Each structure stands twice: as C-alpha cells, then as structure tokens.
Amino acid sequence: MSFLRSYLNKIKPNFEEGGKLHAFRSVFDGFETFLYVPNDTAKTGVHVHDAIDSKRIMSMVVIALMPAMLFGMYNVGYQNALAANALASTGFWEMFFFGFLAVLPKILVSYIVGLGIEFAWAQWKGEEIQEGFLVSGILIPLIIPVECPLWILAIAVAFAVIIGKEIFGGTGMNIFNPALLCRAFLFFAYPSKMSGDQVWVAQDSIFGLGQTLPDGFTMATPLGQMGQGVHPDASLCDMICGFIPGSIGETSVIAIAIGAVILLWTGIASWRTMLSVFIGGGLMAFIFEKTGNFTFGCQIVPWYVQFVMGGFAFGAVFMATDPVTSCRTQCGQYIYGFIIGAMAIIIRVMNPGYPEGMMLAILLMNMFAPTIDHFVVERNISKRMKRTNRSAGV
C-alpha cells in the first residue's frame, strides 16, 4: 500500500490548483479519500473529530450488506434450479455462479450510472465527490426482482440520484432515501417489471449455467400469495433462511440479521429505530390476526410471519435506519420506527393489490422525520423552560 500512497502523492500536484488536470480535481479527491483517510487538519477554531469519516461509515454499511447480497446470488440460482426441477443435479457452486452472473450486471449498471452522475455533477458544480451513492449503489440491486431489465434500472437510478438527491444539495441534504425512491419509480413507472409472478425467478441460462425455463413461467412470492388471499405455501423455515422467491437481497432473514449485528456493533445504525419498527409492525400484525374477519381480501397469517415475508426485515435494518432521512432525536427514533412498522402492515393487509408496504411506509415517514424531530426538540425546550421557571419561583 505504500507504493500506492507514493504514486498518489506523485500525481497529486497535477490535480491541484494550476495543475494540468485541475479540472478533474474532484475525481482524484474522490478516489484518494476513498482509499485513505485525509490528512487535512483544521486551521482555526475548536473542532471535535470522530474516529472515522462518512466514507468509512458507508464502507461498513456495504460490508453489512454482503451476507444478504451473497445469499441473494445463491438464491437466484436455487430458485432457477427449483423451478426446473433440477435441484438434485445442480451443485452449490453452479447455483451460486448462475446467481452471481445474473446479479453482477445490475450492480455494475447501478454504480456506473449513479457514480457517473455523481462525478459529472461534482465536476459541473466544482465540488468534492460525495460518498452517499457507495451504499445506494449496492442497495438498489438488492431490492429489485432479478428479471428487472438493465435499461429500466439505469433510468430508475438516474431518477433517484438526480431527483432524489442532487437537486436537494447532495448527500446529507436529501429528504427521501434514494434507493427506495428508485424502487418507487420502478414500481409506478414499470409495474409489470416489479410485480406479478413472472419477475422473481431468472428464467434463462447464462453461459451454460442454470436452466432455460419455458415462456410464461410464473412463481409467486409468499407475500404475493397472501395478497391474493392464499396461504403462503413456503414453510416458516424456508422464509427465515431465504429459500423463497423475492427481491435479490430481501429473502434471507438470517443474512439480514448478520448485517444488523454488524451495524449495531459498530454503532452505525440506531437500535431504537430498528427495534421500534418491529414493535410497531408486530403490534399491528397481532391486531389484524386477532380481528381476522376484517381481512380486506388478504390472507391473514400469524403476526410473526409478517417479519419474514417481503422486505420488512431488510427495510427495518438497512432502510429505516438511514441516518440522513430518519429521525435524529432519540425519542423521535422510537416514534419514527413504530409508525413505519405499523404503516407497513396496514398497507400490506388493507391493500391486497400492493402487498409490500415497507417501501411506501418508509418514504412516507422520510417526509415527516424532520417534523417529528422538531416537535421532540420543542417539547424538550418547553419542559426545561418550565423547570427553570419553577426553580426561579416564577
């Protein structure tokens, strides 16, 4: 690594003020700060620095996403072999590499389009390249079906980066989670590619791996079956492990739980938000289970099964805890997470046409997070003023 550091120091003057490559200073700075912690120090005033910068936080989130991503790749191959009745003749590595080849293009398109826009925007504005898309770029491929066309994904990523983040001022200023905004754009602009029973299983062989399934093949997710009033045919064990059709990274609760442990252990994610999402969702699911006569055309399942279907667990761990778009105050995090969990179950049960409610619930609460924080802060100020007045005898 010393050779790389020496090489960067050697070419750095070319990108500084007056250098022949000064126009690309933001690009160089983005790569350098991604590889090494900056050496810059504050010149005036009093400053308190954390042990890691935001790029290191983003990198840790990406590491936490690795279990869900790797299992998602394997599950893509597993579902293909299952649909072709070829599980016995298909090995572990063949299924994994089939899924790897199916998912890799989506990751590449997400990063190429998203980072390309980020780089171009930074050059145009003369600013540093922001690191926010490091996480969004891996989240987006994990929350879409495996059969989503690449050109549609490219359009959705561009929409999420430009409309969802850059026009608000970039990373740290966006109101909505860019990855969820990308999914929302896909769902409403191209619903046939994001819903139904034909989008969850990779149906074509890739480089001789996997099986080519017949045209018109369909396979419903457990959540889709519930929305159709049919009891899910997948076992609870399969839903926990992740051997079910679904978005690439959302199926395995075990893999998601490993990511949650990493985020909580490093102190990056808020346990208050995460816990309150499950409490709110569990309470609402329990209410619907006990009042099953109000089914609204949706199959009611035991309340705890809601946690292992669809994107509930993934949303609670990786989306609701986004530090930019969620609440900052401790009390606000409890309120924010509780409403997300409850709202997700309400949408699932009361709207059979849209059984997955986690995306809309989080986007809705992204909009109200600043308001919740405002009232929490105002309430604290009011309580302190009253306490001060009582102490002063006023």
Side-chain angles (χ1 to χ4, degrees):
M1 294 300 289
S2 60
F3 167 77
L4 180 59
R5 178 70 269 178
S6 300
Y7 178 73
L8 291 175
N9 290 338
K10 180 180 178 180
I11 65 174
K12 188 172 183 177
N14 295 324
F15 296 91
E16 294 178 341
E17 189 71 34
K20 58 183 179 181
L21 298 176
H22 172 68
F24 299 99
R25 181 173 182 269
S26 59
V27 177
F28 177 83
D29 180 75
F31 281 112
E32 183 187 29
T33 55
F34 176 76
L35 294 170
Y36 296 98
V37 176
N39 292 326
D40 298 338
T41 58
K43 299 296 190 299
T44 60
V46 178
H47 297 77
V48 178
H49 297 273
D50 201 351
I52 58 175
D53 61 8
S54 56
K55 284 186 175 63
R56 291 346 181 243
I57 292 176
M58 298 295 178
S59 299
M60 190 58 65
V61 177
V62 172
I63 292 174
L65 285 164
M66 286 296 105
M69 185 190 73
L70 293 175
F71 182 87
M73 290 177 175
Y74 170 75
N75 189 50
V76 168
Y78 176 87
Q79 294 300 323
N80 175 265
L82 178 64
N85 294 318
L87 280 179
S89 59
T90 307
F92 171 86
W93 289 110
E94 182 179 349
M95 287 188 280
F96 176 80
F97 281 116
F98 174 78
F100 173 80
L101 294 174
V103 175
L104 181 61
K106 293 174 172 54
I107 297 176
L108 293 177
V109 167
S110 176
Y111 273 118
I112 290 172
V113 174
L115 289 179
I117 294 174
E118 292 260 13
F119 278 38
W121 198 280
Q123 290 297 123
W124 176 49
K125 300 276 287 186
E127 300 174 348
E128 294 182 357
I129 294 174
Q130 298 170 338
E131 62 281 350
F133 198 78
L134 183 64
V135 171
S136 299
I138 194 69
L139 277 173
I140 290 171
L142 297 184
I143 60 176
I144 62 173
V146 67
E147 284 289 277
C148 179
L150 296 180
W151 68 271
I152 291 180
L153 177 62
I155 294 174
V157 171
F159 174 86
V161 175
I162 297 173
I163 305 300
K165 188 168 72 168
E166 297 299 345
I167 64 172
F168 289 102
T171 301
M173 304 296 291
N174 50 293
I175 299 175
F176 301 104
N177 184 296
L180 284 178
L181 205 61
C182 177
R183 177 169 173 145
F185 176 85
L186 284 169
F187 183 83
F188 291 109
Y190 302 98
S192 64
K193 304 299 182 182
M194 286 294 293
S195 60
D197 299 340
Q198 298 184 1
V199 299
W200 307 110
V201 178
Q203 302 183 25
D204 294 319
S205 176
I206 304 175
F207 298 126
L209 296 175
Q211 307 291 329
T212 299
L213 304 183
D215 293 338
F217 170 82
T218 63
M219 183 175 287
T221 64
L223 200 57
Q225 291 176 318
M226 188 188 77
Q228 296 168 7
V230 179
H231 195 280
D233 54 16
S235 68
L236 180 62
C237 180
D238 282 344
M239 287 189 281
I240 293 174
C241 294
F243 299 112
I244 55 175
S247 295
I248 294 168
E250 294 181 346
T251 59
S252 175
V253 176
I254 295 176
I256 294 168
I258 295 173
V261 170
I262 295 173
L263 293 179
L264 294 175
W265 178 61
T266 55
I268 291 174
S270 167
W271 65 267
R272 297 175 183 85
T273 301
M274 204 180 296
L275 176 64
S276 57
V277 170
F278 284 100
I279 292 176
L283 178 60
M284 189 56 60
F286 180 79
I287 292 174
F288 278 120
E289 179 189 358
K290 296 306 178 184
T291 57
N293 54 315
F294 301 106
T295 60
F296 304 96
C298 180
Q299 174 67 43
I300 298 298
V301 296
W303 64 271
Y304 52 84
V305 176
Q306 294 281 3
F307 296 159
V308 297
M309 292 195 302
F312 191 95
F314 192 91
V317 172
F318 295 109
M319 300 295 193
T321 57
D322 176 15
V324 174
T325 57
S326 64
C327 285
R328 309 292 180 88
T329 60
Q330 293 184 2
C331 180
Q333 288 170 355
Y334 288 117
I335 299 171
Y336 174 81
F338 184 90
I339 298 177
I340 285 177
M343 186 65 66
I345 301 302
I346 290 173
I347 296 173
R348 280 184 177 185
V349 176
M350 298 184 67
N351 184 5
Y354 181 63
E356 178 55 271
M358 201 62 177
M359 175 190 73
L360 292 180
I362 296 176
L363 286 175
L364 177 66
M365 293 311 298
N366 284 168
M367 185 167 56
F368 286 101
T371 304
I372 294 173
D373 277 341
H374 170 76
F375 281 108
V376 169
V377 172
E378 289 298 318
R379 179 175 177 273
N380 287 338
I381 293 174
S382 177
K383 289 176 61 177
R384 291 186 179 187
M385 287 296 296
K386 291 179 180 178
R387 188 162 57 244
T388 301
N389 290 338
R390 284 198 301 269
S391 299
V394 177

